[in-house]
PDB file of all heavy atoms in Angstrom:
ATOM      1  N   GLU A 175      -9.805  -0.190  -2.620  1.00  0.00           N
ATOM      2  CA  GLU A 175     -10.818  -1.017  -3.288  1.00  0.00           C
ATOM      3  C   GLU A 175     -11.219  -0.425  -4.637  1.00  0.00           C
ATOM      4  O   GLU A 175     -11.529  -1.164  -5.583  1.00  0.00           O
ATOM      5  CB  GLU A 175     -12.047  -1.166  -2.389  1.00  0.00           C
ATOM      6  CG  GLU A 175     -11.806  -2.020  -1.149  1.00  0.00           C
ATOM      7  CD  GLU A 175     -12.986  -1.989  -0.178  1.00  0.00           C
ATOM      8  OE1 GLU A 175     -14.041  -1.422  -0.565  1.00  0.00           O
ATOM      9  OE2 GLU A 175     -12.848  -2.512   0.947  1.00  0.00           O
ATOM     10  N   ALA A 176     -11.200   0.913  -4.729  1.00  0.00           N
ATOM     11  CA  ALA A 176     -11.579   1.575  -5.981  1.00  0.00           C
ATOM     12  C   ALA A 176     -10.413   1.655  -6.964  1.00  0.00           C
ATOM     13  O   ALA A 176     -10.600   2.084  -8.103  1.00  0.00           O
ATOM     14  CB  ALA A 176     -12.103   2.977  -5.682  1.00  0.00           C
ATOM     15  N   GLY A 177      -9.220   1.261  -6.512  1.00  0.00           N
ATOM     16  CA  GLY A 177      -8.059   1.287  -7.398  1.00  0.00           C
ATOM     17  C   GLY A 177      -7.419   2.654  -7.535  1.00  0.00           C
ATOM     18  O   GLY A 177      -6.815   2.967  -8.569  1.00  0.00           O
ATOM     19  N   ILE A 178      -7.531   3.493  -6.484  1.00  0.00           N
ATOM     20  CA  ILE A 178      -6.918   4.823  -6.500  1.00  0.00           C
ATOM     21  C   ILE A 178      -5.684   4.803  -5.601  1.00  0.00           C
ATOM     22  O   ILE A 178      -5.775   4.459  -4.418  1.00  0.00           O
ATOM     23  CB  ILE A 178      -7.896   5.902  -5.990  1.00  0.00           C
ATOM     24  CG1 ILE A 178      -9.143   5.948  -6.875  1.00  0.00           C
ATOM     25  CG2 ILE A 178      -7.216   7.275  -5.941  1.00  0.00           C
ATOM     26  CD1 ILE A 178     -10.224   6.882  -6.364  1.00  0.00           C
ATOM     27  N   GLU A 179      -4.530   5.155  -6.151  1.00  0.00           N
ATOM     28  CA  GLU A 179      -3.328   5.167  -5.330  1.00  0.00           C
ATOM     29  C   GLU A 179      -3.385   6.350  -4.355  1.00  0.00           C
ATOM     30  O   GLU A 179      -4.072   7.343  -4.605  1.00  0.00           O
ATOM     31  CB  GLU A 179      -2.069   5.236  -6.193  1.00  0.00           C
ATOM     32  CG  GLU A 179      -1.883   6.524  -6.960  1.00  0.00           C
ATOM     33  CD  GLU A 179      -0.584   6.499  -7.768  1.00  0.00           C
ATOM     34  OE1 GLU A 179      -0.110   5.401  -8.131  1.00  0.00           O
ATOM     35  OE2 GLU A 179      -0.051   7.596  -8.041  1.00  0.00           O
ATOM     36  N   PHE A 180      -2.659   6.206  -3.258  1.00  0.00           N
ATOM     37  CA  PHE A 180      -2.693   7.248  -2.232  1.00  0.00           C
ATOM     38  C   PHE A 180      -1.318   7.431  -1.626  1.00  0.00           C
ATOM     39  O   PHE A 180      -0.473   6.538  -1.659  1.00  0.00           O
ATOM     40  CB  PHE A 180      -3.708   6.899  -1.128  1.00  0.00           C
ATOM     41  CG  PHE A 180      -3.301   5.717  -0.283  1.00  0.00           C
ATOM     42  CD1 PHE A 180      -2.646   5.902   0.925  1.00  0.00           C
ATOM     43  CD2 PHE A 180      -3.556   4.420  -0.710  1.00  0.00           C
ATOM     44  CE1 PHE A 180      -2.245   4.816   1.689  1.00  0.00           C
ATOM     45  CE2 PHE A 180      -3.163   3.327   0.048  1.00  0.00           C
ATOM     46  CZ  PHE A 180      -2.507   3.528   1.260  1.00  0.00           C
ATOM     47  N   GLN A 181      -1.108   8.631  -1.104  1.00  0.00           N
ATOM     48  CA  GLN A 181       0.105   8.922  -0.354  1.00  0.00           C
ATOM     49  C   GLN A 181      -0.293   9.401   1.032  1.00  0.00           C
ATOM     50  O   GLN A 181      -1.430   9.826   1.256  1.00  0.00           O
ATOM     51  CB  GLN A 181       0.935   9.990  -1.059  1.00  0.00           C
ATOM     52  CG  GLN A 181       0.289  11.366  -1.057  1.00  0.00           C
ATOM     53  CD  GLN A 181       1.104  12.385  -1.820  1.00  0.00           C
ATOM     54  OE1 GLN A 181       1.420  12.187  -2.979  1.00  0.00           O
ATOM     55  NE2 GLN A 181       1.431  13.496  -1.168  1.00  0.00           N
ATOM     56  N   ILE A 182       0.635   9.339   1.959  1.00  0.00           N
ATOM     57  CA  ILE A 182       0.416   9.840   3.311  1.00  0.00           C
ATOM     58  C   ILE A 182       1.227  11.111   3.488  1.00  0.00           C
ATOM     59  O   ILE A 182       2.408  11.174   3.141  1.00  0.00           O
ATOM     60  CB  ILE A 182       0.842   8.803   4.372  1.00  0.00           C
ATOM     61  CG1 ILE A 182       0.023   7.512   4.221  1.00  0.00           C
ATOM     62  CG2 ILE A 182       0.690   9.376   5.781  1.00  0.00           C
ATOM     63  CD1 ILE A 182      -1.459   7.658   4.444  1.00  0.00           C
ATOM     64  N   ASN A 183       0.602  12.149   4.039  1.00  0.00           N
ATOM     65  CA  ASN A 183       1.278  13.399   4.394  1.00  0.00           C
ATOM     66  C   ASN A 183       1.342  13.501   5.917  1.00  0.00           C
ATOM     67  O   ASN A 183       0.353  13.196   6.600  1.00  0.00           O
ATOM     68  CB  ASN A 183       0.521  14.605   3.838  1.00  0.00           C
ATOM     69  CG  ASN A 183       0.522  14.659   2.329  1.00  0.00           C
ATOM     70  OD1 ASN A 183       1.305  13.991   1.668  1.00  0.00           O
ATOM     71  ND2 ASN A 183      -0.362  15.469   1.769  1.00  0.00           N
ATOM     72  N   THR A 184       2.478  13.939   6.436  1.00  0.00           N
ATOM     73  CA  THR A 184       2.655  14.092   7.880  1.00  0.00           C
ATOM     74  C   THR A 184       3.292  15.433   8.176  1.00  0.00           C
ATOM     75  O   THR A 184       4.339  15.766   7.591  1.00  0.00           O
ATOM     76  CB  THR A 184       3.547  12.974   8.458  1.00  0.00           C
ATOM     77  OG1 THR A 184       2.952  11.698   8.192  1.00  0.00           O
ATOM     78  CG2 THR A 184       3.717  13.134   9.960  1.00  0.00           C
ATOM     79  N   THR A 185       2.670  16.212   9.050  1.00  0.00           N
ATOM     80  CA  THR A 185       3.236  17.485   9.467  1.00  0.00           C
ATOM     81  C   THR A 185       4.187  17.254  10.637  1.00  0.00           C
ATOM     82  O   THR A 185       3.830  16.595  11.613  1.00  0.00           O
ATOM     83  CB  THR A 185       2.127  18.472   9.884  1.00  0.00           C
ATOM     84  OG1 THR A 185       1.302  18.747   8.745  1.00  0.00           O
ATOM     85  CG2 THR A 185       2.707  19.778  10.392  1.00  0.00           C
ATOM     86  N   VAL A 186       5.404  17.805  10.517  1.00  0.00           N
ATOM     87  CA  VAL A 186       6.425  17.610  11.553  1.00  0.00           C
ATOM     88  C   VAL A 186       6.182  18.572  12.709  1.00  0.00           C
ATOM     89  O   VAL A 186       6.145  19.794  12.520  1.00  0.00           O
ATOM     90  CB  VAL A 186       7.836  17.868  10.986  1.00  0.00           C
ATOM     91  CG1 VAL A 186       8.898  17.629  12.056  1.00  0.00           C
ATOM     92  CG2 VAL A 186       8.098  16.990   9.767  1.00  0.00           C
ATOM     93  N   THR A 187       6.018  18.018  13.903  1.00  0.00           N
ATOM     94  CA  THR A 187       5.925  18.835  15.119  1.00  0.00           C
ATOM     95  C   THR A 187       6.825  18.219  16.182  1.00  0.00           C
ATOM     96  O   THR A 187       7.269  17.074  16.061  1.00  0.00           O
ATOM     97  CB  THR A 187       4.484  18.887  15.668  1.00  0.00           C
ATOM     98  OG1 THR A 187       4.104  17.591  16.136  1.00  0.00           O
ATOM     99  CG2 THR A 187       3.490  19.342  14.590  1.00  0.00           C
ATOM    100  N   ARG A 188       7.069  18.972  17.213  1.00  0.00           N
ATOM    101  CA  ARG A 188       7.893  18.456  18.306  1.00  0.00           C
ATOM    102  C   ARG A 188       7.241  17.228  18.949  1.00  0.00           C
ATOM    103  O   ARG A 188       7.912  16.307  19.407  1.00  0.00           O
ATOM    104  CB  ARG A 188       8.093  19.553  19.355  1.00  0.00           C
ATOM    105  CG  ARG A 188       9.180  19.257  20.378  1.00  0.00           C
ATOM    106  CD  ARG A 188       9.394  20.443  21.305  1.00  0.00           C
ATOM    107  NE  ARG A 188       9.760  21.642  20.572  1.00  0.00           N
ATOM    108  CZ  ARG A 188      10.981  21.887  20.119  1.00  0.00           C
ATOM    109  NH1 ARG A 188      11.939  21.001  20.315  1.00  0.00           N
ATOM    110  NH2 ARG A 188      11.244  22.996  19.472  1.00  0.00           N
ATOM    111  N   GLN A 189       5.911  17.190  18.945  1.00  0.00           N
ATOM    112  CA  GLN A 189       5.191  16.094  19.592  1.00  0.00           C
ATOM    113  C   GLN A 189       5.321  14.776  18.829  1.00  0.00           C
ATOM    114  O   GLN A 189       5.494  13.716  19.430  1.00  0.00           O
ATOM    115  CB  GLN A 189       3.708  16.464  19.729  1.00  0.00           C
ATOM    116  CG  GLN A 189       2.891  15.413  20.473  1.00  0.00           C
ATOM    117  CD  GLN A 189       1.428  15.818  20.595  1.00  0.00           C
ATOM    118  OE1 GLN A 189       0.949  16.689  19.884  1.00  0.00           O
ATOM    119  NE2 GLN A 189       0.719  15.186  21.505  1.00  0.00           N
TER     120      GLN A 189
END
Side-chain angles (χ1 to χ4, degrees):
E175 291 172 8
I178 300 174
E179 67 179 26
F180 68 96
Q181 68 183 55
I182 299 297
N183 294 344
T184 301
T185 297
V186 181
T187 67
R188 193 175 302 281
Q189 184 180 17

